[in-house]
Amino acid sequence: MTTHEANPDRSPAQTDRAMLVIGAAALALVVLALVVRLGGAFSEGATPGLSQAGALTKIGLSVAKLGGDVAAVLTVGWLLVAAVFVPGTSATGRRCLRAASLTALAWALCTLALILFTALDLFGIGFTGLTGSMMRTLLIELPQGRALLLVLAVAVALAVAASLPRAAGGTGYLLAGALAGMLPPLFTGHAASASNHALAVYSLAGHVLGVALWIGGLVALVTVAPDVRDGLPQVVGRYSSLALVAFAVVGVSGAVNAWVRLGGVHLGSRYGMLIVAKGVALAALGACGWWHRRTTIPALRYGTGKRAFLRLGTVEILVMTATMALAVGLSRTPPPENAPDTLDLATLRLGFPLPGPAGVGPYLLNWWIDPLFFVLIVAAAVLYGVGVVRVRDWPWQRTAAWTGGLLVLLLATASGISRYSMVLFSAHAIQHILVGLVAPLLLLYGAPVKLGLKVMRGESRALLAAAADSRGLRALGHPVVSSALLLLSLYAWYVSPLFPPSLSNHALHSLSMVVFLAIGLAYFRGTAGSLVPLAVLPLHVLAGVALMLDGTVLGGNWYELLGRRWGSSPLDDQHFGALLLWTAAMAITAAHAVYCRSRRSTTRLSASTTVGSYSAAESSRSRSSTAAPLSRSEESPTRSS
């Protein structure tokens, strides 16, 4: 890709960008005002959890949220262009990083305002009545405040990191950080308290991330288009593929989230009508994208479609801005309430009815699918299958191992084990063992990175190779680091303050399992052939026995509040789960370490035997040649070959 410096005369382009910013901001504010007013956020009967404060607080809260969302999306867009579409070390890449630093700063300032208005909204007071103790209560004791504080920390860190001279070498990490910084409020909002917690939260997370990559990427691309020039057709073509995937993700996740929030197809309420309006806007954006792929992108390849691309991109940005304002207003709109007698307390806490007595049968038959892992498993199966089809001589043993690993993950996160992991500590321990210890071994033997490198070509192959050999993964896979992380994830996790909220929030629960899977992959990959796993075996025993001897029920009062009347007591079940944890962890890690050491020794012995045989053969051959030289007819035919 070729990048060029901007033209010296850039005043027309700067004027157009300024007009676009002014027009988009005005349109967003108008749409937000209409949605907040017509959606019922100002009504006296707003549902609990929405604002009961004055009009000024409600307006300030909505505007601050819209500003923060826009700034976050723009930050993602600038970092996406710098990390994927242009070299981060180029002049255009450096300009993108400077812009990302400024938008991250705006994100932080809007988050500060959002924290302030959230406190006013929560306590129902004016600016003069706000005290330090109220702010401490919000930011330390309440999940919503802690989430906003985490977003603020991420935004400030991005603003500083993107402005550093060496930021160009870490644009991928900055992009991942920006995407992660958008997620914490989703785990504490209304979706987290929906009847199907995990499906609501992860559909909303997919929606938000898809929108950020789609809208942010388009805004940044339209802005830097004059600087890219000859490379614009290639950049737009690559972005178009990303936008198509983002469009599909946004559409599907939005429909799923609306279905969860509405409890079915109920579009007669104000909330339902706003959902329909979002659907219409999404359809309009899909039509624009179709026109891009049909007309403007082919014209760009022939050097005639730059103006058409910019005009259509500007229209898309305006529609996207209005849609984002609509989404912010929708978050302030009271959703339809459930009937009072439709959910009992245990169902409200779990997101599903309290299951009956546990056993092998219920574990295997009483399925409850984790949406995050289900998407990951299906995607991993499809991508690996495509790779196997393209690499025809791929060993069947590796395919079998990969399939087995995915089946283990499916068993742990979609069978009855997944359902009972929220009810029993022992079931949680079984799920942890399967996800964090058994599945990683099988998946690693499947060698997905090696398969990907065989299949991919060009920039995709280079990106995969760079990611697999990145400094972050190398540090994570160091034997000491990965062993320490495994110990912390197996035992310290259950006595940490993160364990209780992971029980009440399915999204956090499945996210923690993703972390355990990543730690298991790093551990078994980094410690292969090392003596570190054998050295830390006593620590597994000590930590596991300490967890078994703990006389307090972990997880706060979660297990008692469920009202379970069957099975052993929560404390006895906890002791049994701890026994499963440390015995399984010790057996699996010890067996893996011994196997790797024996295989390494066998490989060395085989290599040394081969070398010795080769040396003996050469010595015998040299002695024969010195004793009686062979004639040309007596020499072996394979000798010359």
Side-chain angles (χ1 to χ4, degrees):
M1 182 186 312
T2 304
T3 58
H4 299 272
E5 297 295 330
N7 291 328
D9 183 15
R10 296 181 60 186
S11 56
Q14 291 174 348
T15 302
D16 293 342
R17 294 170 187 172
M19 293 300 296
L20 176 60
V21 170
I22 294 172
L27 179 62
L29 291 175
V30 170
V31 172
L32 179 64
L34 289 174
V35 174
V36 170
R37 180 65 183 87
L38 300 177
F42 287 109
S43 64
E44 295 296 331
T47 58
L50 292 178
S51 176
Q52 300 292 333
L56 179 61
T57 298
K58 294 179 180 180
I59 294 173
L61 194 64
S62 300
V63 173
K65 179 170 175 52
L66 177 60
D69 290 348
V70 170
V73 166
L74 292 178
T75 303
V76 170
W78 292 119
L79 293 174
L80 175 66
V81 171
V84 178
F85 297 126
V86 301
T89 55
S90 65
T92 303
R94 290 193 295 270
R95 279 192 290 271
C96 289
L97 286 172
R98 288 195 296 268
S101 178
L102 293 176
T103 53
L105 180 60
W107 186 9
L109 294 176
C110 290
T111 305
L112 275 175
L114 186 58
I115 291 174
L116 175 63
F117 283 113
T118 300
L120 300 179
D121 177 50
L122 177 65
F123 296 106
I125 58 175
F127 286 97
T128 57
L130 191 62
T131 63
S133 61
M134 294 178 180
M135 294 300 296
R136 285 194 298 271
T137 300
L138 172 65
L139 298 177
I140 297 176
E141 299 180 12
L142 299 180
Q144 185 179 7
R146 291 197 296 265
L148 291 176
L149 190 61
L150 183 58
V151 172
L152 177 61
V154 171
V156 172
L158 288 172
V160 174
S163 64
L164 297 177
R166 300 181 61 183
T171 51
Y173 296 109
L174 296 179
L175 175 60
L179 292 172
M182 302 182 69
L183 298 180
L186 308 183
F187 292 89
T188 60
H190 297 143
S193 59
S195 58
N196 196 327
H197 310 164
L199 189 59
V201 171
Y202 281 117
S203 62
L204 185 57
H207 195 74
V208 168
L209 296 182
V211 165
L213 293 171
W214 185 15
I215 299 179
L218 180 62
V219 172
L221 201 56
V222 169
T223 306
V224 304
D227 302 335
V228 178
R229 292 188 181 178
D230 296 338
L232 188 60
Q234 292 81 7
V235 171
V236 172
R238 294 170 63 191
Y239 167 77
S240 179
S241 301
L242 173 64
L244 180 61
V245 175
F247 172 78
V249 170
V250 169
V252 173
S253 60
V256 170
N257 192 262
W259 180 81
V260 172
R261 298 297 305 276
L262 293 173
V265 185
H266 305 294
L267 304 177
S269 62
R270 293 179 177 180
Y271 195 91
M273 288 187 290
L274 292 178
I275 291 291
V276 172
K278 279 190 66 178
V280 172
L282 182 64
L285 291 172
C288 291
W290 173 80
W291 188 259
H292 266 306
R293 298 178 71 89
R294 177 184 175 87
T295 304
T296 59
I297 294 178
L300 278 174
R301 296 192 182 102
Y302 294 103
T304 60
K306 182 176 179 181
R307 289 184 178 274
F309 165 73
L310 292 177
R311 285 196 299 268
L312 187 57
T314 300
V315 173
E316 278 189 285
I317 290 173
L318 293 175
V319 176
M320 288 174 172
T321 304
T323 308
M324 287 188 64
L326 177 61
V328 172
L330 185 64
S331 68
R332 304 299 305 160
T333 301
E337 298 184 24
N338 292 319
D341 299 330
T342 56
L343 294 175
D344 59 18
L345 185 59
T347 303
L348 188 62
R349 291 179 179 276
L350 290 171
F352 50 80
L354 182 68
V360 177
Y363 279 172
L364 295 178
L365 301 177
N366 196 0
W367 280 48
W368 186 85
I369 297 176
D370 186 302
L372 176 62
F373 270 95
F374 183 76
V375 171
L376 293 177
I377 291 169
V378 171
V382 171
L383 293 176
Y384 197 92
V386 171
V388 171
V389 171
R390 293 186 177 181
V391 182
R392 298 183 180 181
D393 58 344
W394 187 249
W396 67 268
Q397 297 91 338
R398 294 196 181 278
T399 304
W402 181 261
T403 304
L406 294 183
L407 289 177
V408 169
L409 286 179
L410 187 65
L411 176 66
T413 60
S415 68
I417 296 174
S418 178
R419 184 185 297 271
Y420 282 90
S421 66
M422 312 295 290
V423 180
L424 296 172
F425 186 95
S426 57
H428 193 290
I430 294 173
Q431 186 184 47
H432 195 160
I433 292 168
L434 293 176
V435 172
L437 294 174
V438 179
L441 276 173
L442 296 171
L443 294 177
L444 282 175
Y445 189 75
V449 175
K450 184 177 180 180
L451 178 62
L453 292 175
K454 283 180 172 290
V455 172
M456 294 181 178
R457 297 292 184 270
E459 293 183 354
S460 300
R461 189 177 191 277
L463 286 174
L464 178 61
D469 196 41
S470 62
R471 287 175 294 180
L473 289 183
R474 288 202 305 269
L476 189 64
H478 190 278
V480 175
V481 175
S482 58
S483 297
L485 289 175
L486 184 70
L487 285 169
L488 291 174
S489 68
L490 284 173
Y491 311 109
W493 162 256
Y494 294 101
V495 296
S496 71
L498 296 175
F499 179 56
S502 73
L503 294 172
S504 59
N505 191 312
H506 289 180
L508 287 177
H509 178 85
S510 57
L511 190 62
S512 66
M513 288 296 159
V514 171
V515 175
F516 298 155
L517 175 63
I519 291 175
L521 291 171
Y523 172 79
F524 288 114
R525 181 176 182 270
T527 60
S530 171
L531 292 175
V532 174
L534 296 177
V536 299
L537 284 181
L539 297 180
H540 283 280
V541 177
L542 292 175
V545 171
L547 200 60
M548 286 180 58
L549 298 179
D550 195 336
T552 60
V553 178
L554 303 176
N557 57 355
W558 170 259
Y559 296 109
E560 289 86 350
L561 292 177
L562 291 179
R564 176 172 58 87
R565 304 300 181 189
W566 46 263
S568 57
S569 66
L571 187 59
D572 292 338
D573 180 70
Q574 176 180 306
H575 291 165
F576 177 64
L579 176 65
L580 291 177
L581 269 178
W582 75 264
T583 53
M586 189 176 70
I588 293 173
T589 56
H592 173 69
V594 171
Y595 171 76
C596 289
R597 294 295 297 180
S598 63
R599 185 178 180 183
R600 186 176 180 183
S601 300
T602 303
T603 303
R604 287 179 176 176
L605 178 61
S606 176
S608 62
T609 304
T610 303
V611 171
S613 301
Y614 177 77
S615 301
E618 287 297 313
S619 300
S620 175
R621 181 179 298 171
S622 61
R623 286 195 301 268
S624 301
S625 61
T626 54
L630 294 174
S631 64
R632 187 175 299 272
S633 61
E634 293 173 332
E635 188 175 6
S636 173
T638 61
R639 182 82 179 272
S640 58
S641 64

